Amino acid sequence: MPQATLALVLALTANTAMTPVKVDPQAGTILAPHRATYDIELKKAADQSGVDNMSGRMVYEFNGSACGGYKTNFRFVTKIETGDQVSVTDQQIQTFENLAAKRFDFESKSFTDDKLDKDVKGAAIGKTDGVQVELREPQKRELQLANALFPAQHVLEMIDKARSGNRFFEARIFDGTEDGDKSYLTTTVLGKSEKLAGDNKDPLFGRTYWPVSIAYYEDKSDGDQLPIYTQSFNLYDNGVTRDLTLDYGDVILTGKLSKLELLPPAQSCKVEK
């Protein structure tokens, strides 16, 4: 769901040829296809931000499987009030992540008051010596980055670490946000597991979850750094998140899960003998 932009998680673009998978490396973890809607509210804004109020809605749709690939569609619309001005921003992100081929296709569009500000499209491929990025929009170029996890890989890694009792780990992440030409260093803190109690009609009732906090840093090696962005949430063992807090430093937002639809599961992976 990070990312210096107002995005949590990412999602779909290309028809990528699928490589057969002999064994699912995270066989015990099945990420649930789902559509989650979050109501966004302003929790805190520093005076220097110039923001009087912010509100909006985030919709995140996730589909697929480890062997077939993961598709997500993400949209985040916010109304920002600054003094006498009101503007509406609209972020639309699509990605396709093929774990078997170590490929991540992405397209990110951002609008302000219905005017297109940015359209970034490309693909990243995990190689033995790093991540090769091929950008197609706004202009064609290629670049080589250090080894990094893609978003679904990172979610699977978090769940695996949490189940193992690990409480802290670092990772480099490439998610295609901003200009699609850099990765982020992250530090993740995982809390102790809990089970959701309360309403047994809740789609997540009885499931295990962990409180998670992730700090994102620019990929620089010179001196101590402050995170450019921090997000915290409850991560469930099927990959669903709720109770979001998005901290951009001068502005802190909260996201309440207002609607959750569990979608039909993807076709199960076949294990070759």
Side-chain angles (χ1 to χ4, degrees):
M1 240 246 111
Q3 306 161 332
T5 61
L6 299 180
L8 285 184
V9 224
L10 313 179
L12 116 77
T13 3
N15 296 321
T16 307
M18 299 299 166
T19 302
V21 177
K22 293 184 178 181
V23 178
D24 180 2
Q26 271 92 7
T29 301
I30 298 177
L31 300 181
H34 66 281
R35 183 184 299 109
T37 302
Y38 303 88
D39 291 335
I40 304 298
E41 295 183 355
L42 178 66
K43 180 178 182 180
K44 182 179 180 180
D47 291 339
Q48 61 266 30
S49 71
V51 174
D52 295 322
N53 195 20
M54 286 182 70
S55 60
R57 177 162 291 180
M58 179 188 299
V59 180
Y60 173 65
E61 183 174 313
F62 180 90
N63 275 291
S65 66
C67 54
Y70 294 114
K71 293 180 180 180
T72 64
N73 281 312
F74 172 87
R75 189 172 184 183
F76 189 8
V77 178
T78 53
K79 182 173 74 171
I80 306 172
E81 300 177 29
T82 55
D84 296 331
Q85 294 186 334
V86 177
S87 61
V88 176
T89 64
D90 184 355
Q91 260 193 324
Q92 302 174 20
I93 301 173
Q94 298 179 317
T95 69
F96 182 88
E97 184 173 343
N98 184 342
L99 296 183
K102 298 181 180 179
R103 179 181 173 115
F104 180 68
D105 291 86
F106 57 93
E107 181 174 13
S108 175
K109 294 182 179 181
S110 58
F111 300 81
T112 301
D113 297 331
D114 294 325
K115 181 180 179 181
L116 180 65
D117 295 320
K118 185 182 294 188
D119 184 0
V120 178
K121 182 187 297 185
I125 301 173
K127 304 286 188 178
T128 55
D129 57 346
V131 174
Q132 179 182 330
V133 181
E134 300 175 356
L135 290 171
R136 297 189 289 275
E137 297 287 347
Q139 58 184 8
K140 291 184 178 181
R141 60 187 177 120
E142 295 184 5
L143 56 150
Q144 188 76 19
L145 303 177
N147 280 314
L149 298 176
F150 298 140
Q153 285 180 304
H154 188 233
V155 172
L156 289 166
E157 184 77 6
M158 283 193 290
I159 295 174
D160 184 60
K161 296 283 188 186
R163 282 177 169 156
S164 301
N166 293 334
R167 296 288 172 252
F168 178 86
F169 76 99
E170 297 179 338
R172 187 188 305 271
I173 298 174
F174 179 86
D175 57 21
T177 54
E178 292 297 318
D179 295 319
D181 59 357
K182 61 183 177 181
S183 57
Y184 296 94
L185 298 175
T186 67
T187 58
T188 300
V189 179
L190 301 162
K192 293 184 178 180
S193 65
E194 302 180 43
K195 285 188 180 293
L196 182 65
D199 185 1
N200 59 9
K201 295 182 180 180
D202 191 311
L204 300 175
F205 176 77
R207 298 204 75 103
T208 298
Y209 69 90
W210 301 269
V212 174
S213 179
I214 309 174
Y216 292 78
Y217 299 85
E218 293 282 3
D219 191 359
K220 299 177 181 178
S221 58
D222 51 330
D224 294 334
Q225 296 186 64
L226 293 175
I228 56 173
Y229 168 72
T230 302
Q231 60 172 294
S232 60
F233 48 86
N234 289 335
L235 173 64
Y236 285 76
D237 57 3
N238 60 355
V240 177
T241 61
R242 71 192 312 171
D243 301 325
L244 312 175
T245 298
L246 313 177
D247 187 345
Y248 301 97
D250 289 343
V251 174
I252 301 176
L253 305 175
T254 60
K256 179 182 178 182
L257 182 62
S258 57
K259 185 177 182 180
L260 174 63
E261 302 169 75
L262 295 180
L263 304 176
Q267 184 176 358
S268 60
C269 299
K270 294 181 179 180
V271 178
E272 295 183 1
K273 297 182 179 179

